Amino acid sequence: MLLFYLLTFFASIKAQNQLLPGSCNFESNTCGYTSDADFTRWALHEDGHFVAVDGAMSDNLEDGAGSGSQPKSDITGILLSPVLENEEWSCLRLVYQITDSGSLEVLQRTERKSFDKPLWSSQTPSDSWVISSIDLQNTAELYRIVIEGKPGPSAESSVAIFEIHISPGYCLECDFEESHLCGYSNQWNANVNWYVGGGGAQLLHNNMPNDHTYDNRTGHFMYVDSGYTKTFKEVAKLVSPMTTVPMSGCLSFQYQRSEDRGNLFAVFTRDLLGQYQELWRPGSEDQNDWSEAVGEWIPVQVDLKAPYSVQVVFEVAFNSARGGHVAIDDISFSPEFCNTDTEPTFDPSVANCNFESGFCHYEEDKAMGSLWRIVSVKPNIFRNGDHTTGAGSFLLAHSRPGPRSGYVSRVIGPTLAGNMKYCLRFYFSLRGFNQTDQALAVYLLQQQSGGQEKIWTQAEKSRGIWIAADITFQVSQPSKMAFVSTCRSFWDCGSVALDDITVSLGDCEQMTASLLPPLPGRCDFEAGLCGYTQDKQSDAADWERRRGPTPTSYTGPRGDHTLGLGYYLYMEASPMLPGQKARLQSRVVRGTRGPQCLQFYYHMYGSGTGKLRVVIDEGGEDVLLWQQSGEQSIAWLKAQVEYQWDKQHKIVFEAIRGSSVRSDIAIDDIVLEGGPCPDTKLKVTTGSSNEIV
């Protein structure tokens, strides 16, 4: 791998003048960055011009703040920027190194939020300095950059920061005049690679151009040359930083080719899963007068739609050593599309529905009559309610005997735009006593060709729980989704419930392959406790992480709320005495003057169920926010609490064992956010039934 950071000289004076507040090279001071006194200090190393937090921190390092009193096994350093404002889009470039083991995370702190917003993170160690680029969206709020470094347990581990550059514009943009090359990197190949051109250096070809930025020999650009090409399979790849926020607009760049037939040049996007999609390649519009275009910079504009994280990849391949060269310069981005007739990025949320207010944009196939209906179930200990709140509405197929056997019922969604990849998530629940393998299937109905394609069929046989289904599909033309249930006979009729349909752009796997850690304040317990800890001092038992039913019959959930087949936390009542507690406490929550909303799902089923309380712990004093006592429902129920607390505190979930072993209490899908709670009054659809047959 080429060490791009060492390929060129220090940044030019012009580039330095473009740096925004919050930038720092740590040459003589920390530029207003300070260590949080409650954590291990970051130390300024005078000999290396960088700040670091080490696995073997000592108290005599210079220019650090904080007590450094944490045990070596749990060292965390918090570096805080000065207060910043960002009215225009900007790019933060971080030059860092993780030695041996550890982690580094960049967050954004605003006054009104209880938790810092994750922007980027890494746990990958390296033997040299690494550059990462982070887009900072424009905001009217003042904020601080928070850098959290955690070295590994060994004394040799460390996390260090060499430079922080904040510059106006997008991280995709680059004129290649700065030494860090804006985070662009060459994907190393044995014979064909991208190099820095210009700067007065001697190049392989004397006919290389002036750069486009300054139109002289001292400016810089990127180029790839065919001189050492061995096979046609060798491809040179110049890769942009990964975008960290959704982006749509016009990508522009300048390029030139010394030959039109000796090389192949194309631009792609590459997502987190490594999947490529072609953006552009030279066409006839660039070849109208090639004799004059050879050796000249040619401008290109191409629409870019990136609702999820992608890299832009510039690829060149040569068919021989006489394939000439390809050069690029001045990559830029605008939030406006290049062409005024370009349609905006399609919003797939038009297909979202939780059936609380009716069918949304879905409709039944009237040819078979009304075989689907919206129903609601009041909380009870016999039948499961909806997935959204446990007491709301959902869609049910074949809830009544049909007029005849051997029929199919369909619910059809709104039109989805073509040439897009989608992620569909919905929840289904098998009902009734029959075991059918055709309870539910999903089809795509193509609007132009009239064809249909099955993209999913129900295979899970678990009954009485809501199970999540995730489907990735791609459409080449406008299409509609159809949820189809088949009824062969009275004894083989697919009685199935449907709820909480959501559609987003991209591959479903990208949701789990995100660059960002889980949002603070949110936890579904699928990957652990998310920073929640057991209160060892004030309780008699621990909350346990589990999937599937609890060991004791007639108490506890059959599955979790997030996936149906995933994890939740619960209090196992069997080894406890009546009145004993299990307490789970959050990480420290910064107080704010505005309202905050706590939402979570709880499960309280069992004849001996005790009590579930949510309290604020401020310095050992508990303040009650919410509580529920006794058996409530066989379903997961949603709770939300709006509160205001301007001091630092923790949220504590306290389960109290009831009169018998049938007292298991469970929680799942916790969300704590700033701002008031949304209105959750359920709108009952006319004609709904509270009974499920």
Side-chain angles (χ1 to χ4, degrees):
M1 184 72 181
L2 287 180
L3 299 179
F4 269 171
Y5 193 79
L6 303 177
L7 281 176
T8 56
F9 298 108
F10 291 104
S12 63
I13 296 177
K14 172 179 178 293
Q16 291 289 343
N17 291 337
Q18 290 180 337
L19 293 181
L20 298 176
S23 301
C24 192
N25 58 15
F26 301 104
E27 288 189 1
S28 58
N29 58 62
T30 59
C31 314
Y33 281 82
T34 57
S35 291
D36 189 323
D38 293 329
F39 297 87
T40 304
R41 64 185 180 182
W42 287 80
L44 177 63
H45 291 242
E46 292 185 353
D47 56 339
H49 303 294
F50 61 90
V51 291
V53 56
D54 301 325
M57 295 296 294
S58 61
D59 292 334
N60 58 0
L61 291 173
E62 297 181 1
D63 207 23
S67 61
S69 59
Q70 294 168 290
K72 291 183 179 181
S73 60
D74 188 26
I75 294 176
T76 299
I78 303 293
L79 191 64
L80 300 174
S81 77
V83 176
L84 306 174
E85 56 181 344
N86 192 27
E87 296 181 355
E88 301 294 334
W89 198 293
S90 59
C91 177
L92 185 155
R93 293 190 174 94
L94 184 73
V95 183
Y96 70 96
Q97 183 177 2
I98 300 174
T99 302
D100 189 59
S101 65
S103 66
L104 183 63
E105 186 173 355
V106 179
L107 308 99
Q108 188 177 49
R109 176 175 297 179
T110 54
E111 183 67 25
R112 296 188 301 168
K113 298 294 179 64
S114 296
F115 293 104
D116 300 329
K117 175 184 176 182
L119 299 177
W120 170 89
S121 66
S122 177
Q123 297 180 349
T124 305
S126 65
D127 296 327
S128 60
W129 296 106
V130 180
I131 183 170
S132 182
S133 302
I134 306 162
D135 281 296
L136 300 178
Q137 294 175 282
N138 51 313
T139 176
E141 294 184 288
L142 299 178
Y143 69 94
R144 293 178 186 267
I145 295 295
V146 180
I147 301 176
E148 180 179 296
K150 294 182 178 180
S154 70
E156 293 76 22
S157 64
S158 69
V159 178
I161 299 172
F162 186 74
E163 281 185 320
I164 300 173
H165 281 195
I166 304 179
S167 56
Y170 297 81
C171 291
L172 286 178
E173 298 179 319
C174 197
D175 58 11
F176 304 106
E177 300 300 331
E178 297 187 58
S179 57
H180 52 60
L181 302 181
C182 317
Y184 278 77
S185 61
N186 172 68
Q187 188 168 310
W188 177 256
N189 187 295
N191 300 305
V192 180
N193 293 281
W194 288 88
Y195 296 94
V196 178
Q202 184 68 31
L203 302 177
L204 294 176
H205 282 262
N206 292 326
N207 62 343
M208 293 299 288
N210 289 343
D211 90 311
H212 181 267
T213 311
Y214 299 112
D215 191 24
N216 60 31
R217 291 285 179 177
T218 60
H220 298 86
F221 54 90
M222 299 299 296
Y223 78 98
V224 56
D225 184 83
S226 64
Y228 297 106
T229 300
K230 301 298 183 184
T231 68
F232 189 67
K233 295 181 180 179
E234 294 174 317
V235 178
K237 297 183 179 182
L238 181 67
V239 183
S240 79
M242 183 73 73
T243 61
T244 56
V245 295
M247 296 174 62
S248 294
C250 181
L251 178 70
S252 304
F253 61 92
Q254 301 281 337
Y255 84 98
Q256 73 152 248
R257 302 161 77 191
S258 61
E259 303 286 344
D260 62 336
R261 298 180 181 178
N263 53 66
L264 294 177
F265 178 35
V267 183
F268 300 85
T269 58
R270 184 172 67 187
D271 63 24
L272 288 169
L273 302 178
Q275 298 173 345
Y276 283 76
Q277 182 174 352
E278 184 174 305
L279 271 184
W280 172 91
R281 66 175 59 241
S284 58
E285 69 276 6
D286 301 313
Q287 313 291 337
N288 293 333
D289 192 354
W290 185 261
S291 61
E292 294 184 9
V294 170
E296 299 294 331
W297 289 103
I298 302 173
V300 174
Q301 290 187 325
V302 59
D303 288 325
L304 172 66
K305 295 181 179 180
Y308 42 83
S309 295
V310 298
Q311 294 169 301
V312 177
V313 183
F314 296 85
E315 287 195 0
V316 175
F318 300 100
N319 58 13
S320 72
R322 297 186 297 276
H325 69 261
V326 175
I328 64 170
D329 201 2
D330 291 341
I331 302 170
S332 63
F333 181 81
S334 167
E336 304 293 332
F337 285 118
C338 313
N339 303 312
T340 56
D341 58 348
T342 299
E343 294 184 0
T345 303
F346 177 72
D347 182 4
S349 65
V350 66
N352 295 354
C353 192
N354 61 12
F355 302 104
E356 301 300 333
S357 301
F359 276 83
C360 305
H361 297 284
Y362 289 80
E363 57 184 15
E364 288 189 83
D365 186 348
K366 299 300 184 182
M368 297 306 299
S370 297
L371 301 175
W372 294 79
R373 65 184 177 124
I374 294 177
V375 298
S376 61
V377 177
K378 294 180 179 179
N380 66 92
I381 62 172
F382 303 106
R383 297 189 183 276
N384 206 359
D386 78 321
H387 181 265
T388 312
T389 66
S393 300
F394 57 92
L395 198 59
L396 184 64
H398 309 313
S399 58
R400 302 187 181 101
R404 62 185 185 279
S405 62
Y407 60 88
V408 176
S409 62
R410 303 194 305 176
V411 170
I412 302 173
T415 301
L416 302 177
N419 298 316
M420 302 287 284
K421 181 181 288 187
Y422 296 96
C423 173
L424 165 65
R425 166 170 280 197
F426 61 91
Y427 290 84
F428 70 95
S429 177
L430 300 179
R431 306 280 169 145
F433 57 85
N434 51 313
Q435 296 284 344
T436 177
D437 58 358
Q438 297 191 41
L440 187 64
V442 182
Y443 287 79
L444 287 180
L445 308 181
Q446 299 166 350
Q447 300 299 286
Q448 295 175 356
S449 65
Q452 65 179 28
E453 174 190 1
K454 181 188 286 189
I455 59 173
W456 179 88
T457 187
Q458 170 265 327
E460 176 60 45
K461 299 295 185 180
S462 298
R463 313 181 73 78
I465 60 175
W466 287 101
I467 301 174
D470 290 335
I471 310 167
T472 298
F473 63 92
Q474 190 158 0
V475 295
S476 58
Q477 58 180 284
S479 302
K480 294 184 178 182
M481 299 180 302
F483 293 86
V484 180
S485 184
T486 301
C487 188
R488 294 175 178 173
S489 66
F490 177 81
W491 300 103
D492 190 7
C493 192
S495 181
V496 63
L498 186 64
D499 204 3
D500 290 344
I501 302 172
T502 57
V503 181
S504 56
L505 296 176
D507 196 301
C508 294
E509 290 187 38
Q510 289 177 345
M511 310 303 175
T512 57
S514 172
L515 292 174
L516 301 179
L519 289 173
R522 293 175 177 259
C523 194
D524 58 13
F525 304 111
E526 296 305 319
L529 299 186
C530 320
Y532 283 85
T533 57
Q534 311 283 352
D535 187 347
K536 298 292 187 180
Q537 298 179 349
S538 305
D539 64 5
D542 287 343
W543 287 83
E544 299 180 23
R545 180 170 170 261
R546 186 177 180 86
R547 66 191 307 177
T550 61
T552 308
S553 59
Y554 300 105
T555 188
R558 300 180 187 176
D560 78 319
H561 179 266
T562 314
L563 302 172
L565 305 175
Y567 290 90
Y568 58 90
L569 284 193
Y570 86 109
M571 177 196 72
E572 174 56 52
S574 300
M576 300 173 65
L577 298 176
Q580 288 186 325
K581 306 174 183 178
R583 287 169 59 97
L584 183 77
Q585 56 189 12
S586 72
R587 66 179 72 181
V588 174
V589 181
R590 288 197 315 274
T592 64
R593 296 181 180 179
Q596 299 185 88
C597 182
L598 172 66
Q599 301 181 27
F600 61 95
Y601 286 84
Y602 65 95
H603 197 282
M604 300 176 71
Y605 165 61
S607 58
T609 301
K611 183 182 295 184
L612 177 63
R613 302 171 74 236
V614 180
V615 301
I616 286 179
D617 179 1
E618 183 192 335
E621 297 292 329
D622 286 352
V623 178
L624 180 65
L625 287 182
W626 177 94
Q627 71 175 0
Q628 192 67 270
S629 302
E631 186 176 50
Q632 298 298 313
S633 175
I634 200 172
W636 285 97
L637 300 177
K638 183 178 182 178
Q640 68 176 24
V641 187
E642 184 176 312
Y643 75 98
Q644 189 170 335
W645 207 263
D646 59 2
K647 297 179 182 179
Q648 185 171 280
H649 61 281
K650 293 181 179 180
I651 300 294
V652 178
F653 291 86
E654 180 183 84
I656 303 175
R657 201 258 204 191
S659 59
S660 75
V661 295
R662 293 192 174 95
S663 184
D664 294 348
I665 296 175
I667 57 174
D668 202 0
D669 292 343
I670 302 171
V671 177
L672 177 59
E673 294 181 318
C677 289
D679 184 10
T680 58
K681 294 180 180 179
L682 301 180
K683 301 177 181 178
V684 179
T685 305
T686 303
S688 295
S689 169
N690 287 329
E691 291 185 357
I692 299 180
V693 181

